[in-house]
Amino acid sequence: MKSLTRTLAICAVLVAAALPGLAAEPDYSAWTGLLQKYYSPQNGMDYQGIRKNDFATLKKLVDDWAKVDVSKLSRDEQLAFWINLYNVSTVKLICDNYPTKSIRDLSTDPIVRLNVFKKEIVPQGGKMMSLNDVENDKIRAGFKIPGFTLRSTARRAAARRCAPRRSSARK
């Protein structure tokens, strides 16, 4: 009886330890809060405001989402995660380099000005990846979405008056 109780206790501990990682969708509330506070369709994203008042929140999002085990998310949750991670990483990149007129101004290639999307600035799963990796490998190829693009959104997002998209995280 004693060994059965001990076995059940060990199993309970193992199950409890595994539960937080099972289908644990990332907490998007801080990202939604930032969007609701600093984004408006009329004025676009207030990068200066984020940088001045909530940069620590933005950095914590990037740090927290770097630890997400994407493989434990449902397919829809994975797509939402990659889109949100791309958007948060783009906003952080712009805030890191604010003021800037265009995200393309952060490129080191003076002609094409697109290598900013190839810089490994997105931490996820213990490695660094680029915005291109997220868009092309994780979203477009991973979900078989031909013609899907986040890059044009990112270019507009670097301008204070970016095109209206949404004021909440994707789910």
Side-chain angles (χ1 to χ4, degrees):
M1 185 67 161
K2 209 177 207 183
S3 74
L4 177 62
T5 305
R6 187 175 24 190
T7 302
L8 288 174
I10 291 170
C11 287
V13 168
L14 292 174
V15 168
L19 284 177
L22 294 177
E25 186 174 13
D27 181 3
Y28 296 123
S29 60
W31 177 230
T32 295
L34 289 174
L35 289 170
Q36 290 173 347
K37 188 172 180 180
Y38 295 105
Y39 174 79
S40 77
Q42 300 80 19
N43 299 318
M45 186 65 80
D46 179 7
Y47 297 104
Q48 183 178 11
I50 293 174
R51 185 177 167 123
K52 182 179 177 185
N53 303 312
D54 276 311
F55 190 73
T57 301
L58 184 64
K59 182 166 178 3
K60 184 173 178 351
L61 276 173
V62 172
D63 292 345
D64 289 349
W65 292 0
K67 300 169 193 159
V68 170
D69 185 348
V70 182
S71 69
K72 292 187 178 177
L73 303 176
S74 72
R75 184 168 169 78
D76 288 345
E77 290 170 343
Q78 287 179 19
L79 179 59
F81 174 77
W82 290 119
I83 292 171
N84 285 317
L85 181 64
Y86 184 97
N87 290 334
V88 165
S89 299
T90 300
V91 170
K92 184 177 179 300
L93 174 65
I94 294 164
C95 287
D96 282 341
N97 294 280
Y98 188 84
T100 186
K101 291 181 182 178
S102 169
I103 194 169
R104 294 175 110 189
D105 291 343
L106 305 178
S107 291
T108 55
D109 177 352
I111 298 172
V112 180
R113 298 183 342 140
L114 289 176
N115 69 351
V116 67
F117 296 99
K118 295 178 182 177
K119 293 179 182 178
E120 292 186 342
I121 62 159
V122 183
Q124 213 302 302
K127 64 178 186 169
M128 296 297 288
M129 58 180 55
S130 69
L131 291 169
N132 268 355
D133 294 336
V134 175
E135 180 178 352
N136 295 321
D137 299 342
K138 300 300 182 182
I139 298 173
R140 192 177 293 160
F143 293 89
K144 308 291 186 255
I145 305 174
F148 181 86
T149 183
L150 287 167
R151 188 174 297 160
S152 62
T153 302
R155 280 195 299 262
R156 285 191 300 271
R160 184 163 170 79
R161 294 187 176 272
C162 62
R165 287 293 181 218
R166 58 189 301 143
S167 59
S168 63
R170 297 203 177 261
K171 289 196 174 200

